[in-house]
PDB file of all heavy atoms in Angstrom:
ATOM      1  N   GLU J  14      12.048   1.940   6.942  1.00 95.00           N
ATOM      2  CA  GLU J  14      12.176   1.579   8.357  1.00 95.00           C
ATOM      3  C   GLU J  14      13.413   2.216   8.961  1.00 95.00           C
ATOM      4  O   GLU J  14      13.391   2.694  10.096  1.00 95.00           O
ATOM      5  CB  GLU J  14      12.254   0.051   8.474  1.00 95.00           C
ATOM      6  CG  GLU J  14      12.353  -0.471   9.895  1.00 95.00           C
ATOM      7  CD  GLU J  14      12.546  -1.986   9.933  1.00 95.00           C
ATOM      8  OE1 GLU J  14      13.548  -2.486   9.361  1.00 95.00           O
ATOM      9  OE2 GLU J  14      11.714  -2.671  10.523  1.00 95.00           O
ATOM     10  N   ASP J  15      14.491   2.238   8.214  1.00 96.00           N
ATOM     11  CA  ASP J  15      15.762   2.721   8.758  1.00 96.00           C
ATOM     12  C   ASP J  15      15.935   4.229   8.608  1.00 96.00           C
ATOM     13  O   ASP J  15      16.401   4.904   9.507  1.00 96.00           O
ATOM     14  CB  ASP J  15      16.923   1.997   8.076  1.00 96.00           C
ATOM     15  CG  ASP J  15      18.235   2.182   8.839  1.00 96.00           C
ATOM     16  OD1 ASP J  15      18.182   2.239  10.079  1.00 96.00           O
ATOM     17  OD2 ASP J  15      19.295   2.248   8.204  1.00 96.00           O
ATOM     18  N   VAL J  26      25.937  16.796   8.969  1.00 93.00           N
ATOM     19  CA  VAL J  26      27.388  16.792   9.036  1.00 93.00           C
ATOM     20  C   VAL J  26      28.068  16.721   7.668  1.00 93.00           C
ATOM     21  O   VAL J  26      29.112  17.335   7.451  1.00 93.00           O
ATOM     22  CB  VAL J  26      27.840  15.595   9.918  1.00 93.00           C
ATOM     23  CG1 VAL J  26      29.330  15.360   9.798  1.00 93.00           C
ATOM     24  CG2 VAL J  26      27.429  15.827  11.361  1.00 93.00           C
ATOM     25  N   ARG J  95      23.480   0.219   5.918  1.00 97.00           N
ATOM     26  CA  ARG J  95      22.983  -0.709   6.944  1.00 97.00           C
ATOM     27  C   ARG J  95      21.944  -1.674   6.379  1.00 97.00           C
ATOM     28  O   ARG J  95      21.962  -2.863   6.686  1.00 97.00           O
ATOM     29  CB  ARG J  95      22.379   0.099   8.101  1.00 97.00           C
ATOM     30  CG  ARG J  95      22.012  -0.696   9.327  1.00 97.00           C
ATOM     31  CD  ARG J  95      23.217  -1.181  10.128  1.00 97.00           C
ATOM     32  NE  ARG J  95      23.573  -2.545   9.823  1.00 97.00           N
ATOM     33  CZ  ARG J  95      24.808  -3.001   9.751  1.00 97.00           C
ATOM     34  NH1 ARG J  95      25.825  -2.199   9.965  1.00 97.00           N
ATOM     35  NH2 ARG J  95      25.051  -4.251   9.449  1.00 97.00           N
ATOM     36  N   ASN J  99      22.449  -5.569   6.272  1.00 98.00           N
ATOM     37  CA  ASN J  99      21.522  -6.431   7.016  1.00 98.00           C
ATOM     38  C   ASN J  99      20.979  -7.543   6.121  1.00 98.00           C
ATOM     39  O   ASN J  99      20.857  -8.686   6.554  1.00 98.00           O
ATOM     40  CB  ASN J  99      20.371  -5.607   7.600  1.00 98.00           C
ATOM     41  CG  ASN J  99      20.768  -4.847   8.871  1.00 98.00           C
ATOM     42  OD1 ASN J  99      21.861  -5.043   9.398  1.00 98.00           O
ATOM     43  ND2 ASN J  99      19.891  -3.978   9.345  1.00 98.00           N
ATOM     44  N   ARG J 103      22.603 -11.592   6.278  1.00 97.00           N
ATOM     45  CA  ARG J 103      21.649 -12.662   6.555  1.00 97.00           C
ATOM     46  C   ARG J 103      21.634 -13.692   5.426  1.00 97.00           C
ATOM     47  O   ARG J 103      21.642 -14.901   5.669  1.00 97.00           O
ATOM     48  CB  ARG J 103      20.252 -12.060   6.722  1.00 97.00           C
ATOM     49  CG  ARG J 103      19.116 -13.068   6.794  1.00 97.00           C
ATOM     50  CD  ARG J 103      17.807 -12.341   7.070  1.00 97.00           C
ATOM     51  NE  ARG J 103      17.881 -11.638   8.319  1.00 97.00           N
ATOM     52  CZ  ARG J 103      17.544 -12.169   9.491  1.00 97.00           C
ATOM     53  NH1 ARG J 103      17.077 -13.403   9.564  1.00 97.00           N
ATOM     54  NH2 ARG J 103      17.654 -11.470  10.602  1.00 97.00           N
ATOM     55  N   ARG J 129       9.185 -23.729   6.073  1.00 97.00           N
ATOM     56  CA  ARG J 129       8.485 -22.445   6.176  1.00 97.00           C
ATOM     57  C   ARG J 129       8.898 -21.674   7.426  1.00 97.00           C
ATOM     58  O   ARG J 129       8.294 -20.649   7.753  1.00 97.00           O
ATOM     59  CB  ARG J 129       6.970 -22.659   6.166  1.00 97.00           C
ATOM     60  CG  ARG J 129       6.429 -23.033   4.781  1.00 97.00           C
ATOM     61  CD  ARG J 129       5.019 -23.607   4.838  1.00 97.00           C
ATOM     62  NE  ARG J 129       4.122 -22.778   5.596  1.00 97.00           N
ATOM     63  CZ  ARG J 129       3.432 -23.194   6.676  1.00 97.00           C
ATOM     64  NH1 ARG J 129       3.531 -24.427   7.094  1.00 97.00           N
ATOM     65  NH2 ARG J 129       2.653 -22.354   7.303  1.00 97.00           N
ATOM     66  N   THR J 132      12.010 -15.950   8.096  1.00 96.00           N
ATOM     67  CA  THR J 132      11.714 -14.648   8.669  1.00 96.00           C
ATOM     68  C   THR J 132      10.504 -14.035   7.978  1.00 96.00           C
ATOM     69  O   THR J 132      10.514 -13.862   6.760  1.00 96.00           O
ATOM     70  CB  THR J 132      12.909 -13.697   8.457  1.00 96.00           C
ATOM     71  OG1 THR J 132      14.081 -14.346   8.936  1.00 96.00           O
ATOM     72  CG2 THR J 132      12.692 -12.396   9.197  1.00 96.00           C
ATOM     73  N   GLY J 134       8.280 -11.898   6.012  1.00 96.00           N
ATOM     74  CA  GLY J 134       8.556 -10.808   5.089  1.00 96.00           C
ATOM     75  C   GLY J 134       9.746 -11.052   4.191  1.00 96.00           C
ATOM     76  O   GLY J 134       9.903 -10.401   3.165  1.00 96.00           O
ATOM     77  N   ARG J 136      10.824 -14.354   3.189  1.00 97.00           N
ATOM     78  CA  ARG J 136      10.906 -15.758   2.782  1.00 97.00           C
ATOM     79  C   ARG J 136      11.518 -15.937   1.400  1.00 97.00           C
ATOM     80  O   ARG J 136      12.347 -16.802   1.186  1.00 97.00           O
ATOM     81  CB  ARG J 136       9.506 -16.393   2.823  1.00 97.00           C
ATOM     82  CG  ARG J 136       9.554 -17.876   2.511  1.00 97.00           C
ATOM     83  CD  ARG J 136       8.221 -18.542   2.759  1.00 97.00           C
ATOM     84  NE  ARG J 136       7.936 -18.652   4.182  1.00 97.00           N
ATOM     85  CZ  ARG J 136       6.738 -19.022   4.657  1.00 97.00           C
ATOM     86  NH1 ARG J 136       5.741 -19.277   3.821  1.00 97.00           N
ATOM     87  NH2 ARG J 136       6.557 -19.111   5.965  1.00 97.00           N
ATOM     88  N   LEU J 155       1.640 -22.068   2.199  1.00 96.00           N
ATOM     89  CA  LEU J 155       0.509 -22.999   2.297  1.00 96.00           C
ATOM     90  C   LEU J 155      -0.216 -23.148   0.972  1.00 96.00           C
ATOM     91  O   LEU J 155      -1.093 -24.000   0.836  1.00 96.00           O
ATOM     92  CB  LEU J 155      -0.468 -22.490   3.359  1.00 96.00           C
ATOM     93  CG  LEU J 155       0.086 -22.463   4.787  1.00 96.00           C
ATOM     94  CD1 LEU J 155      -0.859 -21.698   5.713  1.00 96.00           C
ATOM     95  CD2 LEU J 155       0.282 -23.886   5.287  1.00 96.00           C
ATOM     96  N   ARG J 178      -9.099 -36.733  -0.825  1.00 96.00           N
ATOM     97  CA  ARG J 178      -9.684 -35.379  -0.949  1.00 96.00           C
ATOM     98  C   ARG J 178      -8.696 -34.392  -1.560  1.00 96.00           C
ATOM     99  O   ARG J 178      -9.068 -33.547  -2.371  1.00 96.00           O
ATOM    100  CB  ARG J 178     -10.087 -34.857   0.434  1.00 96.00           C
ATOM    101  CG  ARG J 178     -11.363 -35.455   0.954  1.00 96.00           C
ATOM    102  CD  ARG J 178     -11.840 -34.679   2.192  1.00 96.00           C
ATOM    103  NE  ARG J 178     -12.797 -35.470   2.945  1.00 96.00           N
ATOM    104  CZ  ARG J 178     -12.996 -35.374   4.244  1.00 96.00           C
ATOM    105  NH1 ARG J 178     -12.302 -34.492   4.963  1.00 96.00           N
ATOM    106  NH2 ARG J 178     -13.887 -36.115   4.850  1.00 96.00           N
ATOM    107  N   GLU J 275      37.475   8.185  -0.030  1.00 64.00           N
ATOM    108  CA  GLU J 275      37.046   9.362  -0.804  1.00 64.00           C
ATOM    109  C   GLU J 275      37.687   9.374  -2.195  1.00 64.00           C
ATOM    110  O   GLU J 275      38.517   8.547  -2.521  1.00 64.00           O
ATOM    111  CB  GLU J 275      37.427  10.643  -0.050  1.00 64.00           C
ATOM    112  CG  GLU J 275      36.749  10.660   1.303  1.00 64.00           C
ATOM    113  CD  GLU J 275      36.418  12.064   1.777  1.00 64.00           C
ATOM    114  OE1 GLU J 275      36.084  12.930   0.966  1.00 64.00           O
ATOM    115  OE2 GLU J 275      36.466  12.294   2.983  1.00 64.00           O
TER     116      GLU J 275
ATOM    117  N   GLU M  14       2.167 -13.561   2.856  1.00 95.00           N
ATOM    118  CA  GLU M  14       3.341 -14.271   2.341  1.00 95.00           C
ATOM    119  C   GLU M  14       3.158 -15.778   2.475  1.00 95.00           C
ATOM    120  O   GLU M  14       3.535 -16.536   1.574  1.00 95.00           O
ATOM    121  CB  GLU M  14       4.579 -13.811   3.118  1.00 95.00           C
ATOM    122  CG  GLU M  14       5.868 -14.449   2.682  1.00 95.00           C
ATOM    123  CD  GLU M  14       7.033 -14.045   3.582  1.00 95.00           C
ATOM    124  OE1 GLU M  14       6.979 -14.310   4.813  1.00 95.00           O
ATOM    125  OE2 GLU M  14       7.999 -13.480   3.083  1.00 95.00           O
ATOM    126  N   ASP M  15       2.585 -16.212   3.557  1.00 96.00           N
ATOM    127  CA  ASP M  15       2.486 -17.650   3.818  1.00 96.00           C
ATOM    128  C   ASP M  15       1.217 -18.265   3.212  1.00 96.00           C
ATOM    129  O   ASP M  15       1.252 -19.360   2.666  1.00 96.00           O
ATOM    130  CB  ASP M  15       2.514 -17.902   5.329  1.00 96.00           C
ATOM    131  CG  ASP M  15       2.769 -19.365   5.647  1.00 96.00           C
ATOM    132  OD1 ASP M  15       3.517 -20.008   4.893  1.00 96.00           O
ATOM    133  OD2 ASP M  15       2.235 -19.865   6.655  1.00 96.00           O
ATOM    134  N   VAL M  26      -8.814 -30.823   2.823  1.00 93.00           N
ATOM    135  CA  VAL M  26      -8.869 -31.968   3.730  1.00 93.00           C
ATOM    136  C   VAL M  26      -9.744 -31.732   4.958  1.00 93.00           C
ATOM    137  O   VAL M  26     -10.418 -32.655   5.430  1.00 93.00           O
ATOM    138  CB  VAL M  26      -7.419 -32.328   4.162  1.00 93.00           C
ATOM    139  CG1 VAL M  26      -7.428 -33.317   5.302  1.00 93.00           C
ATOM    140  CG2 VAL M  26      -6.642 -32.856   2.960  1.00 93.00           C
ATOM    141  N   ARG M  95       2.020 -21.107  11.688  1.00 97.00           N
ATOM    142  CA  ARG M  95       3.417 -20.911  11.286  1.00 97.00           C
ATOM    143  C   ARG M  95       3.870 -19.460  11.436  1.00 97.00           C
ATOM    144  O   ARG M  95       4.978 -19.180  11.896  1.00 97.00           O
ATOM    145  CB  ARG M  95       3.591 -21.370   9.828  1.00 97.00           C
ATOM    146  CG  ARG M  95       5.013 -21.421   9.344  1.00 97.00           C
ATOM    147  CD  ARG M  95       5.802 -22.585   9.922  1.00 97.00           C
ATOM    148  NE  ARG M  95       6.627 -22.199  11.049  1.00 97.00           N
ATOM    149  CZ  ARG M  95       6.816 -22.936  12.120  1.00 97.00           C
ATOM    150  NH1 ARG M  95       6.258 -24.104  12.255  1.00 97.00           N
ATOM    151  NH2 ARG M  95       7.571 -22.500  13.105  1.00 97.00           N
ATOM    152  N   ASN M  99       6.735 -18.322  13.879  1.00 98.00           N
ATOM    153  CA  ASN M  99       7.936 -17.687  13.320  1.00 98.00           C
ATOM    154  C   ASN M  99       8.247 -16.380  14.052  1.00 98.00           C
ATOM    155  O   ASN M  99       9.407 -16.085  14.341  1.00 98.00           O
ATOM    156  CB  ASN M  99       7.760 -17.421  11.820  1.00 98.00           C
ATOM    157  CG  ASN M  99       7.969 -18.676  10.981  1.00 98.00           C
ATOM    158  OD1 ASN M  99       8.378 -19.722  11.496  1.00 98.00           O
ATOM    159  ND2 ASN M  99       7.681 -18.589   9.689  1.00 98.00           N
ATOM    160  N   ARG M 103      11.326 -16.179  17.148  1.00 97.00           N
ATOM    161  CA  ARG M 103      12.383 -15.197  16.942  1.00 97.00           C
ATOM    162  C   ARG M 103      12.454 -14.201  18.099  1.00 97.00           C
ATOM    163  O   ARG M 103      13.535 -13.876  18.599  1.00 97.00           O
ATOM    164  CB  ARG M 103      12.130 -14.450  15.637  1.00 97.00           C
ATOM    165  CG  ARG M 103      13.015 -13.241  15.373  1.00 97.00           C
ATOM    166  CD  ARG M 103      12.733 -12.680  13.990  1.00 97.00           C
ATOM    167  NE  ARG M 103      12.998 -13.689  12.995  1.00 97.00           N
ATOM    168  CZ  ARG M 103      14.172 -13.858  12.392  1.00 97.00           C
ATOM    169  NH1 ARG M 103      15.185 -13.045  12.668  1.00 97.00           N
ATOM    170  NH2 ARG M 103      14.331 -14.812  11.523  1.00 97.00           N
ATOM    171  N   ARG M 129      21.371  -1.283  15.021  1.00 97.00           N
ATOM    172  CA  ARG M 129      20.507  -1.290  13.835  1.00 97.00           C
ATOM    173  C   ARG M 129      20.698  -2.553  12.991  1.00 97.00           C
ATOM    174  O   ARG M 129      20.170  -2.644  11.882  1.00 97.00           O
ATOM    175  CB  ARG M 129      20.785  -0.041  12.982  1.00 97.00           C
ATOM    176  CG  ARG M 129      20.217   1.242  13.600  1.00 97.00           C
ATOM    177  CD  ARG M 129      20.776   2.496  12.940  1.00 97.00           C
ATOM    178  NE  ARG M 129      20.684   2.452  11.506  1.00 97.00           N
ATOM    179  CZ  ARG M 129      21.730   2.557  10.667  1.00 97.00           C
ATOM    180  NH1 ARG M 129      22.949   2.739  11.142  1.00 97.00           N
ATOM    181  NH2 ARG M 129      21.551   2.497   9.391  1.00 97.00           N
ATOM    182  N   THR M 132      16.559  -7.422  11.622  1.00 96.00           N
ATOM    183  CA  THR M 132      15.957  -7.998  10.422  1.00 96.00           C
ATOM    184  C   THR M 132      15.132  -6.942   9.698  1.00 96.00           C
ATOM    185  O   THR M 132      14.216  -6.371  10.296  1.00 96.00           O
ATOM    186  CB  THR M 132      15.013  -9.142  10.818  1.00 96.00           C
ATOM    187  OG1 THR M 132      15.724 -10.047  11.655  1.00 96.00           O
ATOM    188  CG2 THR M 132      14.496  -9.845   9.584  1.00 96.00           C
ATOM    189  N   ARG M 136      12.268  -4.541  12.732  1.00 97.00           N
ATOM    190  CA  ARG M 136      13.066  -3.860  13.752  1.00 97.00           C
ATOM    191  C   ARG M 136      12.271  -3.535  15.018  1.00 97.00           C
ATOM    192  O   ARG M 136      12.760  -3.706  16.133  1.00 97.00           O
ATOM    193  CB  ARG M 136      13.677  -2.581  13.166  1.00 97.00           C
ATOM    194  CG  ARG M 136      14.618  -1.889  14.152  1.00 97.00           C
ATOM    195  CD  ARG M 136      15.357  -0.740  13.509  1.00 97.00           C
ATOM    196  NE  ARG M 136      16.375  -1.240  12.572  1.00 97.00           N
ATOM    197  CZ  ARG M 136      17.054  -0.459  11.736  1.00 97.00           C
ATOM    198  NH1 ARG M 136      16.815   0.841  11.710  1.00 97.00           N
ATOM    199  NH2 ARG M 136      17.964  -0.977  10.933  1.00 97.00           N
ATOM    200  N   LEU M 155      18.155   5.882  11.447  1.00 96.00           N
ATOM    201  CA  LEU M 155      18.992   7.039  11.149  1.00 96.00           C
ATOM    202  C   LEU M 155      18.308   8.354  11.486  1.00 96.00           C
ATOM    203  O   LEU M 155      18.928   9.405  11.442  1.00 96.00           O
ATOM    204  CB  LEU M 155      19.363   7.024   9.659  1.00 96.00           C
ATOM    205  CG  LEU M 155      20.225   5.838   9.218  1.00 96.00           C
ATOM    206  CD1 LEU M 155      20.299   5.773   7.699  1.00 96.00           C
ATOM    207  CD2 LEU M 155      21.621   5.962   9.813  1.00 96.00           C
ATOM    208  N   THR M 167      35.382  12.400   8.711  1.00 88.00           N
ATOM    209  CA  THR M 167      36.205  12.644   7.520  1.00 88.00           C
ATOM    210  C   THR M 167      35.495  13.601   6.562  1.00 88.00           C
ATOM    211  O   THR M 167      36.078  14.572   6.087  1.00 88.00           O
ATOM    212  CB  THR M 167      36.464  11.314   6.787  1.00 88.00           C
ATOM    213  OG1 THR M 167      36.998  10.382   7.728  1.00 88.00           O
ATOM    214  CG2 THR M 167      37.430  11.520   5.629  1.00 88.00           C
ATOM    215  N   ARG M 178      28.106  21.140  13.909  1.00 96.00           N
ATOM    216  CA  ARG M 178      27.051  21.151  12.898  1.00 96.00           C
ATOM    217  C   ARG M 178      25.839  20.348  13.350  1.00 96.00           C
ATOM    218  O   ARG M 178      24.692  20.739  13.114  1.00 96.00           O
ATOM    219  CB  ARG M 178      27.567  20.527  11.596  1.00 96.00           C
ATOM    220  CG  ARG M 178      28.435  21.459  10.791  1.00 96.00           C
ATOM    221  CD  ARG M 178      28.686  20.869   9.402  1.00 96.00           C
ATOM    222  NE  ARG M 178      29.829  21.506   8.771  1.00 96.00           N
ATOM    223  CZ  ARG M 178      30.594  20.933   7.870  1.00 96.00           C
ATOM    224  NH1 ARG M 178      30.346  19.670   7.485  1.00 96.00           N
ATOM    225  NH2 ARG M 178      31.599  21.578   7.345  1.00 96.00           N
TER     226      ARG M 178
END
Side-chain angles (χ1 to χ4, degrees):
Chain J
E14 182 185 59
D15 195 35
V26 168
R95 189 72 262 142
N99 281 352
R103 171 176 300 271
R129 286 164 50 238
T132 308
R136 184 171 288 170
L155 295 169
R178 283 192 198 152
E275 300 211 35
Chain M
E14 181 185 59
D15 194 34
V26 169
R95 189 73 261 142
N99 281 353
R103 171 175 300 269
R129 286 166 50 238
T132 308
R136 185 172 288 171
L155 296 169
T167 307
R178 282 191 198 153

